[in-house]
Amino acid sequence: MLKQILEELKPTQTQLVAVSKTKPNEAILNLYDQGQRAFGENYVQELVEKQATLPNDILWHFIGHLQSNKVKYIAPFVTMIHSVDSFKLLQEINKQAAKHNRVIKVLLQFHIAEEESKFGFDTEGVQQVVQELAQAHLNHVEICGVMGMATFTDDKTQVRREFQHLKSIFDNLKYNYFAQNPSFTQISMGMSDDYKMAIEEGSTMVRIGSLLFGKRY
Ligand SMILES: *Cc1c(COP(=O)(O)O)cnc(C)c1O
């Protein structure tokens, strides 16, 4: 499955984050041995335990909701945090990264789902953050783009519309605020059921779990 997915991502050079939440180390090592290095986790404690025992050259992506008081546990090693949804969280990531002399890549998470329950900025919230950012000098975070999750639904046109929305948010931010920032390049969208559509709509990074590892129970 890994090979097939990588073939599909090749033409657009879309990156793959293998989402290994709830899956055992052996399953991760199986993909690792096939060359996969980027893995995504949702829970701080689970990530910390896995990181301590798995190979050091794994690039860990944190993709779940993150509370400020837990940033310190993952700051020593995490590569990218996809789920930044407040300025306060961004400041905390910067502070903890500084302690370890690191720069942590982050994505701004947007609420694109038309359903209610998902975390993330709306377009107004982010304007404020971007203005705060311009004044604060956060040297230990690198803002690399945006992330979003579509509604969990069989309605493909709705999912496509939500992906298009995230792409337009990205384009807007890039044009208005990050034009001088060469790091602002990533659109993290697309999961097992909808990654092909996400790529059609401009995804640069897909987060695939169950298709690689089997269903979660
Ligand atoms: C679990 C999860 C995924 C992967 O979902 P699959 O449907 O198993 O591919 C991707 N992104 C986030 C934020 C997740 O929580």
Side-chain angles (χ1 to χ4, degrees):
M1 201 64 219
L2 176 66
K3 268 213 177 108
Q4 188 191 318
I5 293 172
L6 289 175
E7 280 302 313
E8 288 167 352
L9 302 185
K10 221 183 231 165
T12 47
Q13 295 186 311
T14 309
Q15 297 178 57
L16 173 64
V17 177
V19 177
S20 46
K21 64 183 178 211
T22 78
K23 297 298 176 181
N25 287 354
E26 305 81 77
I28 296 173
L29 282 171
N30 178 14
L31 291 194
Y32 179 90
D33 289 339
Q34 297 175 61
Q36 179 65 21
R37 289 296 177 269
F39 289 88
E41 290 282 339
N42 285 52
Y43 308 103
V44 168
Q45 190 180 342
E46 183 180 349
L47 172 53
V48 167
E49 285 169 10
K50 285 174 169 172
Q51 191 273 336
T53 48
L54 285 163
N56 259 323
D57 60 342
I58 287 183
L59 305 171
W60 292 106
H61 290 242
F62 191 83
I63 62 174
H65 183 62
L66 182 58
Q67 290 171 293
S68 293
N69 61 1
K70 299 212 170 146
V71 172
K72 57 178 178 284
Y73 301 115
I74 61 173
F77 62 83
V78 72
T79 296
M80 180 180 270
I81 297 174
H82 291 228
S83 46
V84 171
D85 61 359
S86 73
F87 189 63
K88 180 179 163 226
L89 180 57
L90 200 55
Q91 283 177 305
E92 179 64 16
I93 295 168
N94 187 66
K95 180 177 148 190
Q96 296 299 333
K99 284 187 186 167
H100 299 279
N101 257 315
R102 302 188 67 230
V103 174
I104 297 176
K105 296 177 197 289
V106 302
L107 302 178
L108 305 174
Q109 180 174 359
F110 280 85
H111 176 97
I112 52 166
E114 291 166 8
E115 69 185 3
E116 273 305 307
S117 65
K118 302 266 163 68
F119 296 103
F121 289 113
D122 54 26
T123 26
E124 281 165 29
V126 83
Q127 302 253 323
Q128 191 174 346
V129 166
V130 165
Q131 278 154 19
E132 285 171 317
L133 259 180
Q135 278 146 37
H137 295 278
L138 304 184
N139 296 321
H140 294 271
V141 290
E142 182 181 347
I143 310 213
C144 295
V146 301
M147 179 271 215
M149 278 174 91
T151 304
F152 187 70
T153 172
D154 290 333
D155 183 347
K156 298 265 184 251
T157 56
Q158 180 178 348
V159 172
R160 189 180 290 281
R161 194 161 67 230
E162 292 172 358
F163 287 155
Q164 289 168 343
H165 184 198
L166 187 61
K167 172 68 161 75
S168 77
I169 289 170
F170 172 85
D171 288 342
N172 241 305
L173 285 174
K174 179 89 190 162
Y175 183 82
N176 289 310
Y177 300 104
F178 293 97
Q180 310 298 328
N181 181 344
S183 304
F184 198 85
T185 53
Q186 301 295 329
I187 304 175
S188 167
M189 65 182 184
M191 316 195 335
S192 292
D193 289 339
D194 53 25
Y195 71 97
K196 288 181 192 171
M197 188 193 286
I199 292 168
E200 289 167 12
E201 299 303 337
S203 172
T204 65
M205 200 179 259
V206 291
R207 309 177 307 266
I208 298 182
S210 42
L211 199 59
L212 285 166
F213 291 104
K215 265 209 170 84
R216 290 178 300 273
Y217 294 98

